[in-house]
Amino acid sequence: MTTQILVVDDEPRFLRLVSANLQTEGFQILEAANGNQAVEIAAAQTPDLIVLDVMMPEMDGFQACERIREFSEVPIIMLTAKGEEADKLRAFELGADDYVLKPFSASELLARVRAVLRRAQRGATATPQSTFSRGGLDIDFARAQVTVEGEPISLSATEYRLLLQFARNFGKTLTGEQLLRNVWGPEYSEEKEILWVSISRLRQKLERDPKNPQLIVTLSGEGYMMP
């Protein structure tokens, strides 16, 4: 099967150049001119790898990478002129698999692409899902849209990240510390009051009967679970 690569860049000349170089090596190419298109295509066509420019208007590469990681483990190589260590760390923390500085040669990019694909093939697991449905709750990860019984629900960014933790780990018990670390950051791992308030708000918005929650349940002495 032909390996499919999504190339994302807002500069048409650079987009054509990278695409042509990879196409010459036998890869099938998808193209996106901005971060929003990249998220849409990643969800709809599940490419094998994404080559993602960082500096783009509206939704930059960092934001696009973060959105794609909400629903997909597709390998991502970020391309950028931003060579500061903080930028590289941010890229890897958001889930990028490699970070290539401009300018680079066609042979360097090709070597990086093949290396990332080899690692991905060794670690391949489940087919990524772009949507989640359970008990009347539906999440469209690509559009960051949540509905309950077909009705759109408005969530804050923190509430949405918290909900993603349960959706990604449904059927598993999550401790309060895990949720605080993953949603707010390690410096909040002891701030249990924040978690209690946020889960209460989430239940108010999602549950038919927030006093008798069915979507996000509390396991006494253990944590929380989406059963």
Side-chain angles (χ1 to χ4, degrees):
M1 183 187 300
T2 304
T3 300
Q4 194 175 60
I5 299 178
L6 170 60
V7 181
V8 188
D9 202 302
D10 64 316
E11 295 183 30
R13 184 184 64 83
F14 201 81
L15 183 62
R16 286 196 300 271
L17 180 63
V18 172
S19 296
N21 285 334
L22 293 174
Q23 206 161 22
T24 300
E25 298 298 325
F27 297 110
Q28 182 180 346
I29 301 301
L30 302 169
E31 293 184 342
N34 56 60
N36 287 310
Q37 284 183 10
V39 174
E40 293 283 344
I41 294 173
Q45 303 198 42
T46 60
D48 299 294
L49 182 144
I50 298 176
V51 176
L52 179 62
D53 185 43
V54 170
M55 297 177 71
M56 295 185 291
E58 297 183 17
M59 181 187 291
D60 65 21
F62 292 127
Q63 294 168 313
C65 180
E66 186 173 27
R67 289 287 310 281
I68 291 167
R69 279 289 173 263
E70 292 173 357
F71 61 88
S72 173
E73 295 300 322
V74 59
I76 297 176
I77 297 176
M78 303 193 80
L79 306 180
T80 183
K82 295 167 73 70
E84 297 295 327
E85 183 180 20
D87 294 316
K88 296 179 184 177
L89 291 175
R90 184 183 178 194
F92 288 123
E93 286 170 356
L94 291 173
D97 296 87
D98 201 355
Y99 194 92
V100 182
L101 285 176
K102 297 177 180 178
F104 53 83
S105 66
S107 57
E108 179 188 1
L109 178 60
L110 181 61
R112 301 264 196 167
V113 164
R114 286 177 170 157
V116 169
L117 285 172
R118 281 197 300 272
R119 291 200 296 271
Q121 287 165 359
R122 286 199 294 267
T125 54
T127 302
Q129 300 293 321
S130 59
T131 60
F132 175 85
S133 297
R134 201 160 193 85
L137 168 70
D138 291 284
I139 305 172
D140 184 328
F141 297 115
R143 295 176 175 80
Q145 292 178 344
V146 178
T147 60
V148 174
E149 308 293 354
E151 294 295 323
I153 303 297
S154 178
L155 300 178
S156 70
T158 300
E159 290 166 348
Y160 182 69
R161 289 200 299 273
L162 182 57
L163 177 60
L164 290 184
Q165 289 295 311
F166 290 112
R168 288 170 176 164
N169 298 283
F170 75 92
K172 300 178 183 176
T173 302
L174 297 170
T175 66
E177 182 177 342
Q178 281 178 305
L179 290 166
L180 285 162
R181 282 181 176 276
N182 294 341
V183 176
W184 285 269
E187 64 272 30
Y188 288 86
S189 61
E190 301 299 324
E191 303 286 343
K192 295 180 180 177
E193 292 82 1
I194 296 176
L195 181 61
W196 296 339
V197 171
S198 296
I199 286 182
S200 175
R201 287 179 177 166
L202 205 50
R203 284 170 170 162
Q204 291 290 334
K205 294 182 178 182
L206 302 181
E207 301 278 359
R208 295 187 182 96
D209 179 4
K211 294 181 179 178
N212 182 29
Q214 303 297 310
L215 290 172
I216 301 173
V217 300
T218 300
L219 303 173
S220 182
E222 298 181 48
Y224 303 88
M225 174 194 286
M226 180 174 280

